[in-house]
Amino acid sequence: MIYKNITIEVKEGVAIVKVNRPKALNALNSETLEELKRVPEELENRKDVKVVVITGEGDKAFVAGADILEMKDMDPVQGMAFSSKGHEALSKIENMGKVVIAAVNGYALGGGFELALACDIIYASDKARFGFPEVTLGIHPGFGGTQRVSKLVGLAKAKELIFTGKMITAEEAFNLGLINKVVPHDELMEEVFALAETIKGCGQIAIKLAKECVGKSLSLSIEEGLKLEAANFGLCFGTKDQKEGMTAFVEKRKPVFKGE
Ligand code: CAA
């Protein structure tokens, strides 16, 4: 597929997706959201892609938010449509059947923070900054921030972040439980590839099924969640990967998973 504001490079089973509007600090306009929506559609069925990494072009920003220039003159109907477009793109990323890692290389603000939160695992450079500056612009988070953050850190912390618009460091985001790891800026991609390597070596169907269970755990009751877990656990036993994984254990060798 041809993209204008996104680049995709596939290297040894890992797709590196870069938001590529460095002049606007990779801000998300409608066109970029449309392209982001197409990324999971393109990568989902590619056998040569096991793990997806999302990052921002340049050294300064992951994504500095939704595009303020585009939003400036919107009316309420356009504002709602823009929010829905963001929800659609980020939900597609969140629900991909592959692990998506956010490599946060700089500012992750507003819609950029929300994009990172739609990913499964967030690794951040020690130079990264997170925050929801929306209220300083007279709006509030619109790409899922008001819903996803409280589920992660509880209402009190979510309200403080959203009501103040204050930026926090990567270390603070880590201490709040919003991100997985903070690494020295120059080692970010190296650390992300090491993580991807570990994930690539495991059973990909099992990961996909586990991702569905964990993803839905926040919205299902415990009874419903356990039913889903039992069903997906059962599905694992219909895969060649399960036979290979357990046979390899018994034979004391490394498994060779084929994602089948
Ligand atoms: N939208 C559009 N353009 C943006 C942008 C954004 N979100 N963020 C940065 N840019 C542009 C700037 O306008 C500037 O363009 P020009 O060179 O043409 O003037 C360029 O990127 C570089 O930015 P700065 O000169 O401002 O860089 P800086 O280093 O001085 O500051 C910054 C960096 C603190 C990130 C600052 O750019 C900033 O505050 N950006 C806006 C962040 C923000 O408010 N994000 C939330 C947007 S609202 C949202 O996301 C809603 C939602 O939930 C859906």
Side-chain angles (χ1 to χ4, degrees):
M1 278 191 219
I2 296 167
Y3 298 94
K4 190 172 145 203
N5 302 316
I6 280 174
T7 60
I8 300 180
E9 184 192 359
V10 178
K11 252 201 290 191
E12 293 165 22
V14 182
I16 302 130
V17 178
K18 272 191 187 170
V19 181
N20 185 23
R21 298 187 70 218
K23 282 189 182 150
L25 300 187
N26 303 322
L28 301 174
N29 58 6
S30 295
E31 197 176 41
T32 311
L33 289 171
E34 281 297 336
E35 292 186 5
L36 269 181
K37 206 169 74 179
R38 285 180 5 227
V39 168
E41 289 162 9
E42 176 180 345
L43 299 181
E44 188 77 68
N45 296 316
R46 273 184 68 165
K47 271 263 176 193
D48 61 330
V49 173
K50 290 188 173 151
V51 176
V52 178
V53 174
I54 300 185
T55 190
E57 180 59 48
D59 213 28
K60 196 164 166 186
F62 173 70
V63 166
D67 192 306
I68 299 168
L69 294 189
E70 184 178 345
M71 287 185 293
K72 189 174 147 290
D73 296 318
M74 281 181 183
D75 64 24
V77 173
Q78 290 167 325
M80 188 174 167
F82 188 60
S83 171
S84 299
K85 200 186 278 283
H87 291 158
E88 211 187 322
L90 270 50
S91 294
K92 285 215 169 190
I93 291 168
E94 185 173 45
N95 294 320
M96 258 192 100
K98 300 185 184 202
V99 176
V100 186
I101 304 169
V104 178
N105 53 317
Y107 290 112
L109 303 174
F113 197 175
E114 291 166 308
L115 171 61
L117 292 172
C119 299
D120 299 305
I121 298 175
I122 305 176
Y123 273 24
S125 140
D126 54 4
K127 288 190 186 165
R129 294 291 177 272
F130 295 84
F132 289 112
E134 284 90 339
V135 292
T136 69
L137 298 164
I139 58 171
H140 66 63
F143 292 170
T146 64
Q147 303 304 301
R148 287 196 177 96
V149 178
S150 54
K151 290 190 164 81
L152 287 170
V153 300
L155 288 177
K157 296 289 181 195
K159 285 178 178 175
E160 189 178 348
L161 276 172
I162 293 170
F163 297 170
T164 62
K166 267 173 58 179
M167 264 193 243
I168 57 172
T169 62
E171 199 62 40
E172 286 169 316
F174 175 79
N175 290 335
L176 281 171
L178 282 163
I179 67 172
N180 295 77
K181 195 170 182 179
V182 185
V183 301
H185 187 72
D186 294 337
E187 293 166 26
L188 177 62
M189 292 316 282
E190 196 183 314
E191 290 268 354
V192 165
F193 287 130
L195 171 68
E197 200 56 36
T198 305
I199 294 167
K200 267 165 54 186
C202 301
Q204 297 305 307
I205 300 175
I207 289 179
K208 177 178 172 161
L209 293 167
K211 178 167 167 170
E212 187 191 6
C213 294
V214 179
K216 289 188 174 159
S217 68
L218 291 178
S219 52
L220 294 178
S221 69
I222 184 75
E223 290 80 12
E224 290 164 332
L226 293 178
K227 263 191 205 155
L228 176 67
E229 184 183 81
N232 282 10
F233 187 71
L235 286 176
C236 292
F237 290 82
T239 67
K240 289 184 186 162
D241 281 355
Q242 176 268 328
K243 304 293 175 243
E244 168 62 12
M246 294 192 178
T247 304
F249 176 82
V250 172
E251 293 175 355
K252 299 190 188 305
R253 62 173 173 82
K254 250 186 105 176
V256 182
F257 292 117
K258 294 197 172 135
E260 293 171 5

